[in-house]
Amino acid sequence: SYSEFEPNGDLYISGSQGVVLTNINEENSITTDVRLMVPYIEVDGKTIYPDENGNFTVSSGARKITVCAHCFNYSLVDPEISYRLEGFDRSMTTVRRSEMKPVDYTNLAGGEYIFKMQLLDAYGQIQNEISIKIVKKEALRETGWFRALIILSLVGFVIAVTLVIGNQRMKKLKKKEEEAA
């Protein structure tokens, strides 16, 4: 491998993980040398890119969503990265940058989700954070009006069954009264 040293103290070191940049005249800091991003997500194996607002919109029939989060690290440190899909995950998941892999979510209900990714320093303090909005369209069965229609249908069915049973009993009672008379 070949490395490069600049007169201003920048040292570019090539290695098996890529190129690392450090300045021998300054303290090694992770805040300026690390970039967090989610350039795309995969939905059932198909790549989806963000819209003009940076949001990802997913169809209602999507079963598996893979968030392809990246942490570009041009420093010598291996920082901790925490991530969470708000509205689905109960707590943050924390991994080292070198252990980070795409994150899969299956069978999400329709609605809006926020994928948060945080860069942590050695003391566990947040140094950088990004938030990505993922909107999964609601399926027909998840819409409010459909649920209301189902509930009203069930209530109507119960009322109809009650009326039919009541009418049958009334007919039996009238028939018994006629026979007794």
Side-chain angles (χ1 to χ4, degrees):
S1 71
Y2 296 94
S3 299
E4 178 69 27
F5 181 70
E6 297 286 326
N8 66 354
D10 285 345
L11 177 60
Y12 296 90
I13 306 168
S14 61
S16 61
Q17 299 296 319
V19 176
V20 175
L21 168 63
T22 188
N23 189 301
I24 63 171
N25 299 326
E26 298 173 4
E27 183 179 338
N28 218 353
S29 169
I30 66 170
T31 58
T32 59
D33 295 336
V34 177
R35 303 285 183 259
L36 302 175
M37 69 180 341
V38 179
Y40 63 92
I41 63 173
E42 292 179 359
V43 178
D44 296 330
K46 295 181 181 178
T47 303
I48 305 290
Y49 294 99
D51 61 16
E52 62 276 353
N53 299 322
N55 301 329
F56 295 92
T57 303
V58 178
S59 70
S60 62
R63 296 191 180 272
K64 180 180 175 186
I65 298 174
T66 302
V67 179
C68 299
H70 296 286
C71 174
F72 295 106
N73 185 4
Y74 303 102
S75 69
L76 293 173
V77 294
D78 189 18
E80 287 187 330
I81 306 295
S82 289
Y83 61 86
R84 173 183 178 193
L85 185 63
E86 291 182 351
F88 186 78
D89 289 331
R90 293 179 187 235
S91 63
M92 298 291 279
T93 301
T94 303
V95 295
R96 289 268 175 211
R97 184 254 171 246
S98 59
E99 301 166 350
M100 195 165 170
K101 295 182 169 93
V103 186
D104 293 327
Y105 296 98
T106 56
N107 298 324
L108 292 175
E112 292 185 2
Y113 299 91
I114 303 293
F115 183 79
K116 278 194 173 182
M117 189 164 69
Q118 302 171 337
L119 170 68
L120 305 177
D121 66 9
Y123 304 106
Q125 301 298 315
I126 300 170
Q127 296 297 308
N128 192 359
E129 179 179 67
I130 62 167
S131 296
I132 305 300
K133 184 189 260 186
I134 300 173
V135 179
K136 183 175 180 192
K137 294 179 181 175
E138 290 183 329
L140 177 65
R141 67 182 182 280
E142 296 173 328
T143 59
W145 67 267
F146 184 78
R147 290 179 181 171
L149 181 65
I150 294 297
I151 290 170
L152 288 174
S153 299
L154 287 173
V155 169
F157 178 74
V158 168
I159 290 171
V161 167
T162 304
L163 288 174
V164 168
I165 291 173
N167 285 336
Q168 287 179 350
R169 285 188 179 173
M170 290 299 288
K171 286 180 183 179
K172 284 182 183 180
L173 283 173
K174 282 184 182 182
K175 189 175 182 180
K176 281 185 180 181
E177 285 179 6
E178 289 174 3
E179 288 176 2

